[in-house]
Amino acid sequence: MQVAPPDIQNVPIDIQTGKLLDWLVDRRHCSLRWQSRAQDIRRRIDAAMGDMPEHPEIKQLLAGAYLHYFHCLRIVEILKGTEASSKNLFGRYSSQRMKDWQEIVSLYEKENTYLAELASLLVRSISYEIPSLRKRIRGCQQAQRDFARREEECQLRAAELRERFFASCKQYGIAGDNVRQELLALVKDLPSLLSEIGAGASALSEAIELYQACVEFVCESPSERVVPLVRHVGARGNTTVYEWRTGLQPLRVERPELQEQPEQPKDDAIDWGDFTLEPSAGGDGAAADGGAPGEEIDWGITLEPSPQQEDTIDWGDGESEEVQITVLEAGTEVPEGVACGSDALTLLEHTETRSQFIDELMELELFLSQRLVEMEEEADVVAVSQFQLAPPALQGQTSARVGALLASTRALLGRLCARSLQHLFIILASPRYVERVSEGLRQRLRQAELLLAKGAAMGQKRREALAEQGTLEPQLDRLLEKTKELQKLIEEDISKRYGGRPVNLMGVSL
């Protein structure tokens, strides 16, 4: 049984796009010298484009990136209409425009130069131009993602720094508009705050008497007064250290002035200092004024001969007058009744007395908390029998009353140990601390501003990448359209050469 031969007319011709030029040259469709011919044709096209009629389709063709053979055919068809008046009886055109473009078309058709040029354009578009545009678009998209991420990070970090700045300002008890001036204003208000705290100590008299009674009952003998400083502040208020030390009110108080440090200059300001130029006396002035080179400089050093006649060393062991050392008291005597220096400070301003006041408050707090625990526990026989002989001040207390006294003590201790108040005490002890605190807070604000500026720059770069992508995508679309058109034209031209057989250009992934 014989198999019918396949219909050769329907067998497709598959050509690898990367080897299209080699395929055309090997099958003698194109010459190896097609590139030199194409260069000559390009020069003729450039010359012919300088003299073209006003036609919208011609303008559209000339606006393209590259004119090839089929564009030239279309230009000739258009010129047949615009140059119809130059056609003679023999069907020829006397117009130079028509002659130039007809010559270009004939040069293209010689040895199928146009086919080799179209194949070269197709290979270049598929292998280089389209991948390059797609890579640039992917780079723009990746840059947009990176810039957006970095912009968000900068904004979050700046918001975090500003939040930390305002949290620190809240701890200091200021608004944060002018950190340095607000801290100094708080220091000036510190005495009134301490006076309020001292006035609150008067509410602890009952707790102090309860503590005193318990100590006397447990020790079974009169003991020294407990928490004397708290008792003093509760009775007389936040007095001066002089009054606490002597028991007398001072006739005059000379408080040490708070030395306010001048505000530091800005970073971009240059501190030239305060130089005072004074004319020097004697030979210095002459030397500075450019005196004669032979003049000597008087350095103010005088060499005198030693009073000793012999070259011996006096060790001070000889018989000489006795050396008397007199110790003088430093400073001057303070008049009686005058509080100055540390004695002029209030008890809660002075570091030592404030620490003692806090220690006594903590001592009182521990006593009340322990007493409250004992009262809230189930009463045992030993505790009941032990407090049967206790004074009425101890037996008449209830757990609710002791709890209220404990809450008052803790409230007063919390106000005195507040973080904002501790910073004010440090500022009072060291005015330079204001500069350190304000500079630290300003540094956070500067960092936040720098991060915001960096985030704005990242946003600008992201928008630039987006704009570049918007420019590249239409270029890619036009290139893909032209590449598909070239592929179709080449396939149709090769198919005509092989009797209409279908031609497939392989490897074209658009």
Side-chain angles (χ1 to χ4, degrees):
M1 182 177 179
Q2 294 182 353
V3 179
D7 188 2
I8 193 67
Q9 191 67 23
N10 296 325
V11 176
I13 301 175
D14 296 335
I15 307 172
Q16 287 293 330
T17 306
K19 298 180 179 180
L20 179 58
L21 270 174
D22 296 335
W23 188 90
L24 293 174
V25 173
D26 290 343
R27 283 155 182 78
R28 310 284 181 154
H29 295 298
C30 300
S31 172
L32 287 174
R33 297 175 298 175
W34 71 269
Q35 292 183 348
S36 60
R37 293 180 181 275
Q39 291 177 359
D40 181 52
I41 294 171
R42 299 313 307 175
R43 286 193 294 269
R44 291 176 181 271
I45 290 176
D46 294 338
M49 288 172 61
D51 182 21
M52 296 297 294
E54 292 293 334
H55 194 276
E57 190 173 354
I58 289 180
K59 288 183 178 180
Q60 184 179 1
L61 292 174
L62 296 180
Y66 196 89
L67 288 178
H68 52 73
Y69 169 72
F70 293 97
H71 292 155
C72 296
L73 286 179
R74 182 56 188 163
I75 290 175
V76 170
E77 292 296 327
I78 295 172
L79 290 178
K80 287 180 180 180
T82 59
E83 307 296 325
S85 60
S86 63
K87 187 176 182 181
N88 56 23
L89 297 175
F90 300 99
R92 296 182 179 274
Y93 292 89
S94 60
S95 173
Q96 186 62 35
R97 297 173 183 171
M98 193 66 168
K99 290 179 181 179
D100 292 341
W101 287 103
Q102 285 179 344
E103 185 179 1
I104 291 171
V105 171
S106 62
L107 289 175
Y108 260 134
E109 292 175 352
K110 188 176 181 179
E111 295 184 357
N112 299 323
T113 304
Y114 73 92
L115 188 58
E117 186 184 42
L118 292 178
S120 175
L121 291 175
L122 179 64
V123 172
R124 186 174 64 185
S125 297
I126 293 174
S127 301
Y128 302 104
E129 294 180 358
I130 293 177
S132 175
L133 283 176
R134 285 176 173 170
K135 184 177 180 180
R136 290 176 62 184
I137 291 174
R138 288 195 299 269
C140 291
Q141 294 173 349
Q142 181 64 34
Q144 291 175 47
R145 290 191 292 269
D146 293 341
F147 289 140
R149 176 180 54 80
R150 294 171 65 182
E151 180 183 6
E152 184 178 1
E153 290 177 355
C154 290
Q155 292 176 352
L156 290 176
R157 179 60 178 164
E160 180 183 355
L161 286 175
R162 293 184 66 86
E163 184 178 354
R164 289 172 58 187
F165 168 79
F166 288 114
S168 300
C169 291
K170 186 177 180 181
Q171 289 180 354
Y172 292 120
I174 59 178
D177 298 331
N178 191 335
V179 177
R180 186 174 183 274
Q181 296 300 329
E182 291 175 2
L183 287 176
L184 293 176
L186 286 180
V187 173
K188 294 179 181 179
D189 296 338
L190 183 61
S192 61
L193 295 176
L194 296 180
S195 298
E196 294 178 1
I197 295 176
S202 60
L204 303 179
S205 58
E206 184 179 353
I208 295 173
E209 297 301 330
L210 178 62
Y211 184 26
Q212 183 72 41
C214 185
V215 170
E216 292 178 357
F217 172 71
V218 172
C219 295
E220 297 181 355
S221 62
S223 61
E224 61 180 8
R225 303 178 68 183
V226 295
V227 291
L229 186 56
V230 176
R231 191 189 297 268
H232 173 84
V233 173
R236 298 189 178 184
N238 186 25
T239 62
T240 59
V241 178
Y242 178 87
E243 184 175 350
W244 157 253
R245 185 171 56 83
T246 62
L248 301 174
Q249 291 186 358
L251 300 177
R252 187 173 75 253
V253 178
E254 298 178 357
R255 291 178 58 86
E257 297 182 358
L258 178 62
Q259 298 180 356
E260 183 175 342
Q261 296 291 330
E263 189 172 359
Q264 297 294 331
K266 296 182 179 179
D267 297 339
D268 55 351
I270 300 177
D271 185 9
W272 297 103
D274 187 8
F275 298 102
T276 303
L277 299 179
E278 298 179 355
S280 57
D284 294 345
D289 295 339
E295 295 180 1
E296 297 182 356
I297 301 175
D298 184 10
W299 299 100
I301 302 175
T302 305
L303 300 178
E304 298 180 356
S306 175
Q308 298 182 2
Q309 300 296 330
E310 299 179 358
D311 297 336
T312 59
I313 300 175
D314 185 9
W315 297 100
D317 296 335
E319 297 179 359
S320 59
E321 297 180 358
E322 296 181 358
V323 179
Q324 296 181 356
I325 301 176
T326 303
V327 179
L328 299 177
E329 295 182 359
T332 58
E333 295 183 358
V334 180
E336 186 177 357
V338 177
C340 62
S342 60
D343 286 348
L345 298 175
T346 62
L347 291 172
L348 297 182
E349 285 179 343
H350 194 249
T351 305
E352 295 181 1
T353 53
R354 182 175 66 251
S355 299
Q356 181 181 350
F357 184 80
I358 293 175
D359 292 342
E360 292 181 2
L361 279 180
M362 296 178 66
E363 179 183 349
L364 184 61
E365 178 196 10
L366 290 175
F367 163 73
L368 293 174
S369 60
Q370 181 63 31
R371 181 62 186 146
L372 182 62
V373 170
E374 293 174 354
M375 295 178 68
E376 289 179 348
E377 290 180 350
E378 295 182 359
D380 53 1
V381 178
V382 177
V384 172
S385 61
Q386 183 179 7
F387 279 90
Q388 283 181 352
L389 302 176
L394 287 177
Q395 294 184 3
Q397 294 292 337
T398 61
S399 59
R401 183 57 185 166
V402 174
L405 295 176
L406 177 61
S408 301
T409 306
R410 286 178 175 174
L412 185 63
L413 187 61
R415 290 180 61 188
L416 190 57
C417 296
R419 187 176 181 85
S420 58
L421 209 58
Q422 296 300 320
H423 287 294
L424 295 182
F425 289 142
I426 298 175
I427 294 173
L428 189 64
S430 175
R432 294 183 61 87
Y433 181 73
V434 179
E435 300 298 332
R436 293 198 298 269
V437 171
S438 58
E439 181 61 27
L441 294 178
R442 283 197 298 264
Q443 183 67 22
R444 290 182 183 176
L445 276 184
R446 285 195 294 267
Q447 290 178 355
E449 292 174 358
L450 289 175
L451 286 173
L452 288 177
K454 185 178 180 181
M458 294 297 105
Q460 179 64 26
K461 291 182 178 180
R462 177 180 56 82
R463 289 188 291 271
E464 291 176 357
L466 180 61
E468 184 179 359
Q469 179 184 351
T471 305
L472 293 176
E473 287 178 346
Q475 295 181 11
L476 179 61
D477 295 337
R478 289 193 298 269
L479 184 58
L480 289 174
E481 183 180 354
K482 292 180 179 179
T483 303
K484 292 178 181 179
E485 182 182 356
L486 284 177
Q487 179 184 1
K488 182 180 179 181
L489 292 173
I490 293 172
E491 289 176 350
E492 290 177 354
D493 192 276
I494 296 176
S495 178
K496 292 178 182 178
R497 299 175 186 276
Y498 287 91
R501 289 178 58 183
V503 178
N504 298 322
L505 294 179
M506 310 299 293
V508 181
S509 57
L510 301 177

